[in-house]
Amino acid sequence: MKKFIYLCLALSLSAFSNTAMAASKSNLEQSQLTPITFYTEIYPPANYMKDNELVGITVDSLKLIWTELKLPEQDITVLPWTRAYRNTLKTSNTALFTMAKTPAREPLFKWVGPLFKSVHILMAKKSSNLKFTNLADVLNYKVSAIKGDVSEISLRQVGFPDFNIAKVDDLERSFIMLQSERVEMMVTSVHSFQHLTNRLNIDASQYEQVWKVNEISNYIAFNIETSDEVIQAYQTALDKLESQRALIKQSYILPILEY
């Protein structure tokens, strides 16, 4: 009888030891994931500076992923979108956020997400009294867009001529062009315009949506040479953190239609 008890105890200890070793090995493998240099732009509420600290829906989600994977915080460099995009496209062990996943971009990167959606719209001053019933009329007006961003891409996809697109480096400059009436409209996402007007203390009631352009999901885009091990680890961690990420979206007052 004693031999039987000892045998059961030994088997139990062995099973526990194997489980512990497997968990330890898993943690070790995660901690040894190739370090990634991340790039981002200033595009609230996904990624922006507040009190000299980089914050936002994607920034906070990424930090949750690192904690889940027991990774130290990776380097994040803020650059203009076109430069950040070019660096990620050409340099191994890099990633860029927050990027809309379009058919043209999909084969160029490896993707982790989706994080949230962007509903792109055209905003105009109410005083302009712009009313449209068809896209052909919309295309006759001048609109500001962030150069190289999905907002500019979206305009081109619906047929906006190049001479009617005023390209700028960031959302605030795009809004200034609208405010000063250098353009009749600006293209933005619902959440970005909401955050911009709050941050700049602008009376949003003086502006209105005059056209919906499209709806696209947002991701973290990794250089195409990134190992599948890294992509799978980040994606698995992101999927496990769904409830926490919902709280992040709430904290940044993301409109429900963009969850």
Side-chain angles (χ1 to χ4, degrees):
M1 183 66 178
K2 287 183 177 179
K3 288 183 177 179
F4 177 74
I5 293 174
Y6 290 151
L7 178 60
C8 289
L9 182 59
L11 289 173
S12 297
L13 288 172
S14 175
F16 175 80
S17 176
N18 289 338
T19 301
M21 287 177 62
S24 176
K25 181 180 179 183
S26 176
N27 289 339
L28 180 63
E29 288 173 348
Q30 290 174 354
S31 68
Q32 291 177 343
L33 288 174
T34 303
I36 303 294
T37 296
F38 289 85
Y39 295 107
T40 191
E41 63 170 340
I42 299 301
Y43 198 86
N47 14 267
Y48 65 101
M49 300 300 296
K50 182 179 181 181
D51 299 327
N52 294 318
E53 180 184 3
L54 187 63
V55 297
I57 295 172
T58 307
V59 177
D60 292 3
S61 299
L62 193 52
K63 289 181 178 180
L64 275 181
I65 291 174
W66 292 334
T67 300
E68 175 68 22
L69 294 177
K70 295 179 173 57
L71 291 173
E73 291 198 2
Q74 313 287 286
D75 291 334
I76 301 177
T77 302
V78 178
L79 292 174
W81 177 259
T82 50
R83 184 177 168 193
Y85 186 96
R86 183 173 62 249
N87 286 359
T88 306
L89 192 64
K90 296 182 177 181
T91 310
S92 59
N93 301 324
T94 59
L96 172 59
F97 64 89
T98 308
M99 191 189 292
K101 188 177 182 180
T102 65
R105 290 172 172 174
E106 187 166 358
L108 303 178
F109 301 93
K110 290 186 178 179
W111 304 84
V112 170
L115 300 163
F116 60 94
K117 292 186 294 185
S118 290
V119 177
H120 292 104
I121 56 176
L122 295 177
M123 295 294 294
K125 285 185 173 182
K126 280 187 178 179
S127 58
S128 299
N129 198 32
L130 294 180
K131 307 294 179 185
F132 301 116
T133 56
N134 61 76
L135 179 60
D137 290 339
V138 181
L139 303 181
N140 292 323
Y141 290 81
K142 199 166 185 67
V143 58
S144 57
I146 299 175
K147 180 172 54 180
D149 182 71
V150 68
S151 58
E152 182 194 354
I153 294 170
S154 297
L155 292 179
R156 295 184 183 283
Q157 286 176 338
V158 297
F160 256 93
D162 188 68
F163 57 79
N164 270 347
I165 303 175
K167 305 174 201 56
V168 296
D169 289 331
D170 56 55
L171 193 64
E172 189 168 333
R173 287 183 177 87
S174 181
F175 178 76
I176 289 171
M177 292 198 74
L178 174 63
Q179 196 176 40
S180 62
E181 299 184 357
R182 294 170 62 190
V183 296
E184 289 88 7
M185 303 176 294
M186 68 177 289
V187 60
T188 179
S189 64
V190 173
H191 62 261
S192 293
F193 190 79
Q194 174 182 286
H195 190 278
L196 180 72
T197 53
N198 288 340
R199 182 169 61 86
L200 299 180
N201 196 27
I202 292 163
D203 183 2
S205 68
Q206 300 301 308
Y207 300 84
E208 63 181 348
Q209 175 183 335
V210 294
W211 197 259
K212 177 181 176 181
V213 180
N214 62 16
E215 183 176 310
I216 302 178
S217 292
N218 296 300
Y219 290 72
I220 302 171
F222 290 73
N223 176 268
I224 194 66
E225 295 180 358
T226 306
S227 73
D228 291 338
E229 177 190 21
V230 169
I231 300 302
Q232 185 59 52
Y234 272 75
Q235 185 65 58
T236 300
L238 182 73
D239 294 341
K240 287 175 63 177
L241 297 165
E242 184 175 354
S243 59
Q244 294 97 313
R245 292 195 301 113
L247 293 176
I248 290 174
K249 293 172 187 177
Q250 290 176 20
S251 70
Y252 285 96
I253 320 176
L254 184 73
I256 294 296
L257 78 164
E258 294 187 315
Y259 269 49

